[in-house]
Amino acid sequence: MIKAILVGACGKMGKNITECAAENDDIKIVAGVDKYNSGMAYPVFSDFSKIDLEADVIIDFSNPALLNELLEFAKSKKLPLVIATTGYNESQIKQIEAASKFIPIFFTFNMSLGVNLLCSLAKRAASILGDDFDIEIIEKHHNQKLDSPSGTAIMLANALNGVFNDKLKYEYDRHTKRAKRNKNEIGIHSVRGGTIVGEHDVIFAGRDEVITLSHAAHSKQVFAVGALRAAKFIATKPNGMYDMNDILKID
């Protein structure tokens, strides 16, 4: 059985992962890291230096502010790391990539298998439709989400842009200008409201026809299931960067 340390254990996602792990015979949460301890069934430490238990992997669903401590701890213990936190800037992503030279790191903007399939299908559609279709991305989340646009929207945009050799620019704020849509752009739009877990639409708008690829998450359980799957996948992998595409290839 794989033993995991869960960072952000007492948050909403931490509790979802804990519930899913309790129903899983292959992985067990043996410790958590969180500044709050809401009475979990395993010990929860306020910082990494206090952890005194053995583990096989770390699952992180916390906050970008903890990245330095997280990476240092993982490297010092030589533990594989699943990073599911969103909202990292470019500098922090480079930190993650640098750390992957010393430990295996699974990093993705979205832990849902369905979202990653959406990304693959969108890339396929873009390669077929070419530049005859305009691309717009709409993402919707609950009113408590801090970052905008979502990491998943950026992941989708980056994947689509790669099809066009990264020549497309991202347009986030169309209302500030009075001009026709630029052909070489991807529009990215954010909606925040209610308790929307996460919805993403990729729109291909051509002449007299529109193709829309969509994914909707109806609970946070889909991300918990993906995170546990990633933890089991990376627990025995060599140093390097991994993402959901690596899992999709072996299924």
Side-chain angles (χ1 to χ4, degrees), residues 14 32 45 47 58 105 111 115 138 165 178 187 203 207 223 233 249:
F45 301 92
D47 61 67
I58 303 170
I105 296 180
M111 279 292 166
V115 161
I138 301 174
N165 299 314
R178 183 175 173 81
I203 300 170
R207 185 178 179 86
F223 310 122
F233 167 81
K249 288 176 184 177

Side-chain angles (χ1 to χ4, degrees), residues 196-248:
I196 301 172
V197 175
E199 298 180 11
H200 293 84
D201 297 329
V202 181
I203 300 170
F204 296 90
R207 185 178 179 86
D208 299 331
E209 59 180 336
V210 176
I211 301 167
T212 302
L213 301 177
S214 301
H215 177 271
H218 296 293
S219 82
K220 293 182 181 293
Q221 291 280 320
V222 297
F223 310 122
V225 169
L228 292 174
R229 187 170 183 174
K232 289 186 282 186
F233 167 81
I234 203 172
T236 57
K237 291 292 182 289
N239 299 346
M241 287 285 287
Y242 302 86
D243 60 25
M244 198 62 76
N245 287 325
D246 295 298
I247 291 179
L248 290 171

Side-chain angles (χ1 to χ4, degrees), residues 39-98:
M40 308 303 281
Y42 45 79
V44 177
F45 301 92
S46 58
D47 61 67
F48 295 99
S49 65
K50 297 179 180 179
I51 299 175
D52 57 359
L53 296 170
E54 295 293 324
D56 304 306
V57 67
I58 303 170
I59 303 173
D60 172 57
F61 252 113
S62 59
N63 188 291
L66 289 179
L67 182 63
N68 290 340
E69 298 170 63
L70 173 67
L71 293 179
E72 287 305 312
F73 176 77
K75 288 191 294 182
S76 69
K77 299 296 183 180
K78 300 294 183 183
L79 286 175
L81 174 60
V82 175
I83 298 180
T85 299
T86 61
Y88 290 114
N89 58 40
E90 291 185 13
S91 175
Q92 289 175 311
I93 292 174
K94 289 180 180 178
Q95 276 185 267
I96 294 169
E97 292 171 347

Side-chain angles (χ1 to χ4, degrees), residues 67-168:
L67 182 63
N68 290 340
E69 298 170 63
L70 173 67
L71 293 179
E72 287 305 312
F73 176 77
K75 288 191 294 182
S76 69
K77 299 296 183 180
K78 300 294 183 183
L79 286 175
L81 174 60
V82 175
I83 298 180
T85 299
T86 61
Y88 290 114
N89 58 40
E90 291 185 13
S91 175
Q92 289 175 311
I93 292 174
K94 289 180 180 178
Q95 276 185 267
I96 294 169
E97 292 171 347
S100 71
K101 297 178 181 179
F102 305 96
I103 55 173
I105 296 180
F106 191 103
F107 176 60
T108 181
F109 289 105
N110 193 302
M111 279 292 166
S112 163
L113 190 65
V115 161
N116 285 275
L117 179 58
L118 169 67
C119 188
S120 178
L121 293 173
K123 288 171 61 178
R124 175 65 173 156
S127 66
I128 294 173
L129 299 174
D131 55 13
D132 291 330
F133 283 69
D134 297 325
I135 302 173
E136 298 283 308
I137 297 171
I138 301 174
E139 57 96 351
K140 306 171 187 176
H141 285 86
H142 53 85
N143 57 22
Q144 300 300 301
K145 186 170 177 62
L146 299 178
D147 55 313
S148 175
S150 68
T152 302
I154 296 298
M155 177 184 78
L156 290 166
N158 289 343
L160 290 164
N161 206 3
V163 176
F164 298 97
N165 299 314
D166 295 325
K167 71 177 183 181
L168 305 182

